[in-house]
Amino acid sequence: MSRHVAIVTDSTAYLPARTMERHGITAVPLTVVLGDRALEEGTEISTRALAQALQKRRPVTTSRPSPAVFEETYRKVAESGATGIVSLHLSAELSGTYDAAVVAARQAPVPVRVVDTGMIAMALGFCALAAAETAESGGTVDEAVTAAEKRAAGTSAYFYVDTLDYLRRGGRIGAAQALLGSALAVKPLLQLADGRIEPLEKVRTASKAIARLEEIAADRAGSAQVDVAVHHLAAPDRASALADRLRTRLTGLADLHVSEVGAVIGAHTGPGLLGVVVSPR
């Protein structure tokens, strides 16, 4: 049994399963409540089922993991040989997941550092990868936390949604309320800022909004070496086309991930979501 620093995150990091396995990252699932059924993200509800439910306007809500789930996860990770754990989670402005992890960390059999990354989706995933790579090279808990926080500080997330209705329903738009009055007349571009979803720009058509999303991502990347993720919900053709254009434009592109978001983020953004995460190395 090897002794090591272990990395825990949550299911909203949307890391590929092979990547998680290769780096030994454990993800704690959030829950999607569809009608009267509570379903674990990633295993018990597909994004297709979620999109269909949203399109039919069925009630969909999300729920954080309980402290007990985190306690069990930390125990199992410690039993695998971990001498310390870095637990990295989506923005505390958007979910109570971080708070649940903090409560559980007090009962863990090994030291646990819980970090509110202020991120979502692969913006969180890139933080987890940075921490895992540091731990794999013999880094301490503090060094892994520093690597994750440094990655978070440089990472940007931008996204386009067909409508703000889903964000409004879930109470996740914060200052984006300002866009609601003209939501039917414009296509909104949003960004993650200080852990919150904030308005970025208003564009008249979907095609212009997606072109502008590409421009923003390219400007943010510049000539730096960057990892990029393109996310979508029920919009694979849009995502593939955007990814192809970014591969051509970004001179410092290292890795590019294309993936459909899971049910938790999808429940708050709705079908048609297109997002770009730019994370300098």
Side-chain angles (χ1 to χ4, degrees):
M1 184 168 63
S2 63
R3 313 300 290 174
H4 61 282
V5 172
I7 308 302
V8 172
T9 187
D10 58 67
S11 59
T12 67
Y14 301 138
L15 286 163
R18 287 180 296 178
T19 300
M20 291 180 59
E21 184 177 354
R22 182 166 69 249
H23 293 282
I25 299 171
T26 301
V28 176
L30 274 72
T31 299
V32 176
V33 181
L34 186 60
D36 59 356
R37 300 176 62 204
L39 305 166
E40 282 190 358
E41 181 176 42
T43 58
E44 295 180 339
I45 180 170
S46 68
T47 50
R48 175 176 293 184
L50 171 77
Q52 291 173 343
L54 291 172
Q55 288 163 345
K56 294 177 181 177
R57 301 188 70 84
R58 294 179 60 190
V60 179
T61 58
T62 59
S63 176
R64 72 178 190 180
S66 69
V69 171
F70 274 109
E71 285 183 31
E72 178 68 5
T73 299
Y74 295 152
R75 182 187 63 78
K76 288 182 178 178
V77 169
E79 288 175 352
S80 76
T83 56
I85 299 170
V86 177
S87 198
L88 302 157
H89 300 291
L90 80 160
S91 172
E93 294 281 349
L94 302 175
S95 169
T97 300
Y98 167 80
D99 294 331
V102 168
V103 171
R106 300 181 188 130
Q107 309 299 323
V110 296
V112 179
R113 285 281 300 278
V114 183
V115 179
D116 171 14
T117 66
M119 300 282 109
I120 54 175
M122 273 298 291
L124 168 59
F126 288 133
C127 294
L129 283 174
E133 289 166 357
T134 299
E136 287 165 359
S137 64
T140 64
V141 165
D142 287 345
E143 289 168 338
V145 168
T146 297
E149 290 179 337
K150 182 178 179 181
R151 196 70 184 258
T155 296
S156 300
Y158 310 100
F159 52 102
Y160 158 84
V161 291
D162 276 335
T163 172
L164 286 169
D165 189 43
Y166 300 104
L167 285 162
R168 178 187 58 77
R169 287 188 222 169
R172 295 302 197 277
I173 53 176
Q177 290 274 8
L179 291 175
L180 283 175
S182 55
L184 295 177
V186 301
K187 293 299 183 179
L189 292 177
L190 308 171
Q191 65 179 336
L192 193 64
D194 298 322
R196 297 184 296 272
I197 296 170
E198 304 281 5
L200 181 60
E201 294 183 6
K202 294 180 285 185
V203 186
R204 285 293 175 186
T205 66
S207 60
K208 289 181 179 179
I210 293 169
R212 182 61 184 140
L213 183 65
E214 177 187 339
E215 290 290 337
I216 292 168
D219 289 346
R220 175 65 185 86
S223 59
Q225 186 180 35
V226 295
D227 294 323
V228 171
V230 175
H231 289 303
H232 72 94
L233 180 63
D237 293 341
R238 276 180 178 174
S240 178
L242 176 57
D244 287 343
R245 294 193 299 271
L246 290 173
R247 286 190 186 96
T248 300
R249 293 189 63 162
L250 303 186
T251 58
L253 183 63
D255 287 331
L256 192 151
H257 303 260
V258 181
S259 66
E260 192 165 31
V261 298
V264 167
I265 289 180
H268 295 292
T269 59
L273 164 73
L274 195 60
V276 181
V277 175
V278 180
S279 184
R281 288 196 170 187

